Amino acid sequence: ALAAPALAGGDWNDAGIAWKSYDQGLAEAKSSSKPVCLVFYTQWCPHCTNYAKVFHDPALVELSKKFVMIHIDKDKDAATSAKYAPDGDYIPRTFFLKSDGTLLDKVTEQRDKFRYFYNESDPAGVMRSMNAVLTMPPA
């Protein structure tokens, strides 16, 4: 049997997750008061391809409905990527923002370096951060 074709940059479950562009997403977050999950990736990055699979997890898909989900190809939008590089411009990076676009810089993976690089083979880390955002007291 032939292997399924590899999707460049990964299969991000477009059918299950309502990914938006950056501008669309920020506008929607403001109007809906939903927090934002912002992912930077590239087409050539093997970690991104692996990480994309995390977004097929049914529990994560369910949680994603409470967020505005944005993913950005860093190669196509380096300027936006540069705005979100508090500890480096590595990929993939996942950030959580308040509905007004403010970075929640305490919501990270539990490590000292590359804090916005989540486990690429286990959705638990991203879900932990999603739940942390959803249980935050309103500012």
Side-chain angles (χ1 to χ4, degrees), residues 6-71:
L7 285 149
D11 169 1
W12 291 87
N13 191 13
D14 294 349
I17 292 188
W19 293 107
K20 304 275 189 253
S21 72
Y22 183 67
D23 293 334
Q24 263 183 317
L26 286 188
E28 185 182 314
K30 280 190 177 71
S31 64
S32 68
S33 297
K34 283 183 179 176
V36 174
C37 174
L38 170 62
V39 179
F40 290 93
Y41 71 102
T42 62
Q43 300 291 331
W44 47 264
C45 156
H47 296 290
C48 299
T49 305
N50 290 337
Y51 186 47
K53 295 175 189 151
V54 162
F55 293 89
H56 289 258
D57 180 87
L60 195 155
V61 169
E62 209 42 50
L63 271 175
S64 78
K65 296 173 182 166
K66 298 178 179 165
F67 288 80
V68 176
M69 302 293 290
I70 300 175
H71 68 155

Side-chain angles (χ1 to χ4, degrees), residues 66-97:
K66 298 178 179 165
F67 288 80
V68 176
M69 302 293 290
I70 300 175
H71 68 155
I72 297 176
D73 184 333
K74 176 173 123 68
D75 289 339
K76 293 184 180 150
D77 190 352
T80 301
S81 181
K83 279 190 222 170
Y84 295 94
D87 66 348
D89 203 21
Y90 51 89
I91 45 163
R93 300 197 308 294
T94 303
F95 298 97
F96 292 92
L97 316 181

Side-chain angles (χ1 to χ4, degrees), residues 89-137:
D89 203 21
Y90 51 89
I91 45 163
R93 300 197 308 294
T94 303
F95 298 97
F96 292 92
L97 316 181
K98 290 191 220 172
S99 58
D100 67 1
T102 312
L103 175 64
L104 293 164
D105 60 0
K106 303 275 183 281
V107 182
T108 63
E109 189 60 296
Q110 294 168 323
R111 61 162 68 107
D112 294 334
K113 284 186 174 166
F114 307 118
R115 292 176 305 133
Y116 301 95
F117 181 96
Y118 284 83
N119 186 323
E120 64 191 75
S121 54
D122 181 358
V126 178
M127 291 198 297
R128 186 178 56 245
S129 284
M130 285 177 147
N131 283 312
V133 171
L134 294 172
T135 53
M136 279 181 178

